[in-house]
Each structure stands twice: as C-alpha cells, then as structure tokens.
C-alpha cells in the first residue's frame, strides 16, 4: 500500500503526525487532505460527505459535488464507510433528513 511506503520513509512515523508537527494553517490542511486521500480515499470522501451535512444547515455545494463526482466511481464503498462514521446511519438517511423536494430526489437517485 502506498501509505506504508511513505510512512517507512519517515522512520515509521505516521505521515499525518509529521505533517502536523512540521506545518500549520492552510498548508497543513492541504497536506493532511492529500495524505488522507492516499491512505483511504473512500473513508476520506465519506468524512467529507458527513461534514457537509452535520450540524445546522447543509453545505449543498460540497454535497452535490461529492455525490456527482463519486457516484460512478466508488460511491458504493463510500456509503459503507459513511455507515462506519455515523455508527450505522446511511447516507440516504442523512440526505432524507437534510434535503427536500426535487433536490433530495435527485441526490437519492444518484446514490
């Protein structure tokens, strides 16, 4: 796996720990995102979907972009990771609770 090779080059230290200790701000955020995508892309995107809907309001732009982008690539696997993050609640259940009307129906059709 690619992340194992990267960690080996850092003396076994987790790449995310190295990034956190050496960087800060937007640069740190960008490098952490890259490291997380390399380590487990489906879990990363599941986390982003969760973040787009948790709390008050929905980040519609992020939600639409992620579902449309990943629906024909790996959304099935992302949905399984989403259930892990939400302790059993499905992506469809989140969409049902956060969205409405034709917008909701379109997102559910893509899922």
């Amino acid at each position: 796996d690619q992340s194992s090779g990267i960690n080996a080059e850092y003396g076994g230290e987790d790449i995310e720990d190295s990034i956190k200790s050496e960087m800060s701000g937007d640069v740190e955020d960008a490098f952490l995102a890259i490291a997380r995508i390399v380590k487990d892309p489906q879990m990363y995107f599941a986390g982003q979907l969760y973040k787009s809907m948790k709390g008050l309001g929905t980040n519609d732009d992020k939600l639409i972009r992620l579902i449309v982008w990943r629906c024909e690539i790996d959304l099935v696997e992302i949905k399984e990771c989403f259930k892990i993050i939400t302790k059993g609640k499905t992506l469809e259940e989140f969409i049902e609770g956060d969205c409405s009307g034709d917008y909701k129906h379109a997102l559910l059709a893509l899922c």
Side-chain angles (χ1 to χ4, degrees):
D1 137 305
Q2 193 172 7
S3 63
S4 298
I6 293 170
N7 286 342
E9 289 184 29
Y10 282 85
E13 183 179 2
D14 183 68
I15 188 72
E16 289 185 39
D17 293 336
S18 295
I19 291 168
K20 289 175 186 175
S21 70
E22 299 294 326
M23 300 176 183
S24 63
D26 292 340
V27 172
E28 176 185 2
D29 294 341
F31 274 86
L32 283 172
I34 293 167
R36 290 173 182 153
I37 290 170
V38 169
K39 186 184 270 184
D40 189 343
Q42 289 79 23
M43 189 60 78
Y44 173 79
F45 291 122
Q48 293 302 303
L49 282 167
Y50 175 71
K51 287 179 184 176
S52 75
M53 293 183 281
K54 77 173 186 173
L56 294 175
T58 300
N59 183 334
D60 295 310
D61 290 340
K62 181 183 256 187
L63 178 60
I64 293 166
R65 184 175 36 248
L66 287 167
I67 289 182
V68 169
W69 179 31
R70 306 310 294 188
C71 71
E72 293 185 355
I73 300 170
D74 57 356
L75 192 57
V76 171
E77 293 87 358
I78 291 169
K79 287 166 49 175
E80 290 302 313
C81 293
F82 189 90
K83 283 172 60 175
I84 293 168
I85 291 170
T86 61
K87 296 175 178 48
K89 198 164 182 187
T90 67
L91 177 59
E92 291 87 349
E93 289 172 321
F94 261 76
I95 291 170
E96 286 278 349
D98 276 32
C99 305
S100 62
D102 291 338
Y103 169 56
K104 173 178 77 174
H105 295 297
L107 290 175
L108 290 172
L110 291 171
C111 286

